[in-house]
Amino acid sequence: MRKILALLITLLILGCLQQSTKGSYKDISAEEAYELLKNSKVVVIDVRSQEEFEKEHIDDAINLVLSPEFKEKIRHLDKNATYLVYCNTGFKSRIAAEIMVREGFKNVYSLSGGIEAWKSKSFPVVK
């Protein structure tokens, strides 16, 4: 019984270590996102519905709706590029960012507060 317990604990620790080496995304404020977009080459991903995207979005964003097919949609993207992911309020973008990190993406940012936070700072949107 002790050997089984020790094996399970070892596997759990190894699993945690493996997960931590994959990296993680970073939540950033609207101000930080604005500076990032001004000063870096960043791929902007809007994970909201197509209707929400068409109503308004951040300039140069691509619309990849967070859906069960999201993993398949990001498969063709460069895993070494830098990505800013956003939604309406930041909840879905965190989920999308986590999926991206788990799929091997290295530089992923999630816009905390989503496009609502972006607009509250009067940053530009495409309508």
Side-chain angles (χ1 to χ4, degrees):
M1 184 65 157
R2 285 185 181 194
K3 287 182 181 180
I4 293 173
L5 184 58
L7 178 61
L8 289 174
I9 291 171
T10 302
L11 290 174
L12 179 64
I13 291 169
L14 288 175
C16 291
L17 289 174
Q18 181 182 8
Q19 183 66 21
S20 68
T21 60
K22 281 189 173 183
S24 64
Y25 67 91
K26 180 179 180 191
D27 280 314
I28 60 173
S29 68
E31 294 90 343
E32 290 171 311
Y34 185 77
E35 289 301 315
L36 181 69
L37 293 176
K38 272 186 6 185
N39 300 317
S40 304
K41 184 175 179 179
V42 179
V43 179
V44 183
I45 299 177
D46 184 324
V47 296
R48 300 174 303 150
S49 71
Q50 183 177 352
E51 294 79 21
E52 290 170 309
F53 178 81
E54 289 172 359
K55 181 180 173 190
E56 62 187 1
H57 58 271
I58 296 173
D59 194 28
D60 292 329
I62 57 174
N63 186 216
L64 298 177
V65 178
L66 183 61
S67 66
E69 295 81 29
F70 186 73
K71 278 187 191 179
E72 186 61 36
K73 292 176 187 177
I74 62 172
R75 186 177 233 161
H76 68 281
L77 299 176
D78 179 0
K79 291 183 178 184
N80 293 309
T82 300
Y83 295 91
L84 172 65
V85 184
Y86 75 92
C87 60
N88 250 355
T89 61
F91 180 73
K92 287 182 183 178
S93 63
R94 284 188 208 107
I95 295 169
E98 182 64 35
I99 291 169
M100 292 178 76
V101 168
R102 288 183 183 197
E103 291 300 308
F105 288 80
K106 309 279 187 254
N107 305 302
V108 182
Y109 297 91
S110 175
L111 176 56
S112 185
I115 198 166
E116 293 301 321
W118 180 267
K119 292 187 310 183
S120 76
K121 300 296 180 185
S122 300
F123 294 142
V125 293
V126 175
K127 294 188 179 205

